[in-house]
């Protein structure tokens, strides 16, 4: 980075800013009905592309903003988990597919669960608990041992970072800045053109909601990659990203933060635990959704219809927890944050999520 931030914000300030970013995300998602699973379902049930166009526009905004921060030297996407030289392709495919199936059974992904929880949906509280438990088991417990033994070792080792601009720059000996500008222009331009090519996307709720959600991804990168970056940790003498669970630069993601939220709540008196960016942003999504639901008078208490409904949500939550950790992210973590870095692994995960969700929705419609 060209202008290192040697005096990062304090941990409480970082947490409050992350919560504010999450609140904007939650408010925008609740108001615009932003939902990746809903976008896929709309295609199969009503042949309606509106919410998919919203998702595409959010990605376009995230790509443009992330590229801008990258080329001016405010962040370095190679400090994220998405752009490493190792591509665990089997983990991306299996994890993404299971996550896609899980989110259809649980009525939405991790982000939608938080939004629904803020709107009064008690089913989402159960999904939150079991998704967090499953994610924790996938990070450090029983599921994690399976993941490490059977999936993670299957990978492709590249000679450079896996983001497309770096791969193209290395292959054709291009300037890194030019490669980033070219790739982001093509990707964001194509997605933006697809998104804005229909009149329904120009409605204020859809347009502003998509812009705000994409902007939240960019804000997350700036917060963790610049404001929370310590050029030299006095203890390790190494650069450090404060208030991140991974120890690396992070933006919005809603699987692993569930696990860390449960961990913090259960070990609150342990002074080594802190409110990280992921925990704070997840909490902020609930608050933002609650504020929107109150303002629009759409807040209402909802619960399970019957025992089969409960069972579907429990299975979906467990699949999302394991799948999201295995694939290194969810529809937001990989689908927006990851894709904003133009990562190959993120693209592979998103395709797998869409495939799993599409298969699950088709089966549900056939059995309806």
């Amino acid at each position: 980075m060209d202008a290192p931030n040697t005096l990062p914000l304090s941990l409480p300030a970082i947490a409050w800013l992350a919560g504010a970013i999450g609140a904007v995300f939650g408010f925008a998602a609740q108001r615009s009905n932003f939902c990746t699973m809903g976008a896929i379902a709309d295609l199969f049930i009503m042949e309606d592309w509106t919410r998919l166009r919203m998702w595409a526009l959010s990605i376009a905004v995230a790509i443009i903003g992330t590229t801008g921060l990258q080329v001016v030297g405010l962040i370095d996407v190679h400090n994220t988990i998405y752009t490493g030289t190792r591509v665990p392709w089997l983990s991306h495919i299996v994890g993404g597919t299971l996550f896609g199936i899980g989110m259809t059974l649980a009525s939405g992904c991790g982000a939608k669960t938080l939004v629904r929880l803020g709107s009064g949906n008690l089913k989402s509280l159960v999904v939150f608990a079991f998704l967090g438990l499953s994610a924790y088991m996938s990070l450090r417990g029983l599921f994690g041992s399976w993941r490490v033994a059977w999936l993670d070792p299957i990978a492709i080792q590249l000679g450079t970072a896996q983001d497309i601009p770096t791969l193209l720059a290395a292959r054709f000996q291009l300037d890194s800045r030019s490669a980033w500008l070219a790739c982001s222009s093509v990707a964001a331009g194509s997605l933006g053109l697809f998104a804005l090519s229909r009149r329904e996307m120009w409605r204020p709720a859809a347009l502003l909601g998509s812009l705000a959600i994409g902007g939240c991804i960019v804000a997350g990168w700036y917060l963790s990659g610049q404001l929370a970056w310590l050029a030299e940790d006095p203890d390790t003498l190494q650069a450090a990203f404060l208030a991140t669970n991974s120890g690396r630069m992070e933006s919005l993601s809603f699987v692993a933060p569930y696990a860390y939220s449960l961990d913090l709540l259960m070990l609150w008196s342990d002074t080594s635990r802190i409110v990280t960016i992921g925990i704070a942003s997840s909490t902020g999504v609930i608050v933002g959704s609650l504020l929107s639901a109150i303002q629009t008078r759409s807040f209402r208490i909802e619960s399970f219809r019957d025992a089969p409904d409960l069972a579907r949500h429990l299975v979906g939550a467990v699949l999302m927890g394991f799948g999201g950790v295995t694939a290194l992210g969810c529809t937001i973590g990989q689908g927006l944050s990851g894709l904003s870095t133009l990562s190959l692994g993120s693209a592979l995960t998103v395709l797998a999520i869409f495939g799993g969700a599409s298969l699950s929705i088709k089966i549900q419609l056939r059995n309806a």
Side-chain angles (χ1 to χ4, degrees):
M1 288 187 275
D2 296 334
N5 180 36
T6 56
L7 294 174
L9 297 176
S10 65
L11 293 178
I14 294 171
W16 279 108
L17 283 174
I21 292 171
V24 173
F25 182 100
F27 189 95
Q30 202 279 342
R31 182 61 60 88
S32 64
N33 199 22
F34 183 92
C35 177
T36 309
M37 190 278 290
I40 300 172
D42 287 351
L43 287 179
F44 288 100
I45 298 173
M46 300 181 292
E47 297 184 357
D48 184 352
W49 291 74
T50 302
R51 285 201 282 185
L52 188 61
R53 296 181 191 279
M54 292 172 59
W55 195 76
L57 181 58
S58 296
I59 298 175
V61 172
I63 291 173
I64 292 171
T66 302
T67 299
L69 295 177
Q70 176 75 13
V71 297
V72 300
L74 290 175
I75 66 170
D76 184 356
V77 300
H78 301 114
N79 290 319
T80 72
I81 64 172
Y82 306 113
T83 56
T85 59
R86 188 173 179 273
V87 183
W89 60 270
L90 186 59
S91 294
H92 288 309
I93 293 174
V94 173
T97 301
L98 292 178
F99 186 92
I101 295 171
M103 75 177 184
T104 61
L105 296 175
S107 303
C109 64
K112 187 64 175 181
T113 295
L114 297 175
V115 172
R116 287 160 60 88
L117 180 57
S119 301
N121 190 301
L122 297 181
K123 293 191 287 187
S124 296
L125 180 61
V126 175
V127 172
F128 179 97
F130 277 83
L131 194 161
L133 177 61
S134 176
Y136 205 104
M137 292 174 66
S138 303
L139 286 166
R140 301 177 181 175
L142 176 63
F143 295 169
S145 65
W146 299 345
R147 173 178 59 82
V148 171
W150 300 337
L151 297 174
D152 288 357
I154 311 301
I156 298 173
Q157 184 65 47
L158 301 175
T160 184
Q162 64 178 279
D163 59 282
I164 296 174
T166 298
L167 289 171
L168 291 179
R171 176 65 178 83
F172 299 104
Q173 298 182 344
L174 302 175
D175 172 67
S176 176
R177 177 188 175 94
S178 299
W180 267 97
L181 291 174
C183 290
S184 65
S185 296
V186 171
S190 300
L191 289 166
L193 182 62
F194 164 73
L196 298 174
S197 61
R198 289 294 182 270
R199 183 180 303 174
E200 59 267 20
M201 268 302 298
W202 291 91
R203 292 183 294 107
L207 181 62
L208 296 179
S210 302
L211 294 175
I213 288 171
C216 285
I217 302 301
V218 181
W221 287 134
Y222 183 76
L223 173 61
S224 69
Q226 178 64 208
L227 300 181
W229 184 46
L230 184 62
E232 186 177 285
D233 189 306
D235 296 326
T236 65
L237 302 182
Q238 301 291 325
F241 295 93
L242 303 181
T244 63
N245 290 111
S246 66
R248 309 185 74 175
M249 190 171 75
E250 298 176 354
S251 189
L252 299 185
S253 187
F254 301 110
V255 174
Y258 275 45
Y260 295 123
S261 296
L262 294 181
D263 181 73
L264 178 65
L265 291 173
M266 291 186 291
L267 301 173
W268 186 266
S269 60
D270 184 347
T271 56
S272 67
R273 262 63 177 186
I274 63 170
V275 178
T276 61
I277 289 175
I279 295 172
S281 59
S282 297
T283 304
V285 172
I286 299 173
V287 174
S289 174
L290 174 62
L291 293 175
S292 176
I294 292 174
Q295 185 181 50
T296 58
R297 298 182 180 180
S298 58
F299 181 90
R300 60 179 57 86
I301 301 297
E302 297 181 45
S303 188
F304 296 101
R305 296 190 306 272
D306 48 32
D309 188 31
L310 170 61
R312 283 192 297 272
H313 281 76
L314 293 181
V315 172
V318 172
L319 290 177
M320 281 198 292
F322 176 74
V325 169
T326 300
L328 301 180
C330 56
T331 54
I332 304 301
Q334 286 280 28
L336 293 182
S337 296
L339 283 182
S340 73
T341 69
L342 300 178
S343 163
L344 284 179
S346 297
L348 185 59
T349 296
V350 170
L351 290 175
I353 290 175
F354 271 64
S358 299
L359 175 63
S360 184
I361 291 172
K362 286 182 179 179
I363 292 175
Q364 290 183 25
L365 290 175
R366 186 176 302 170
N367 295 333

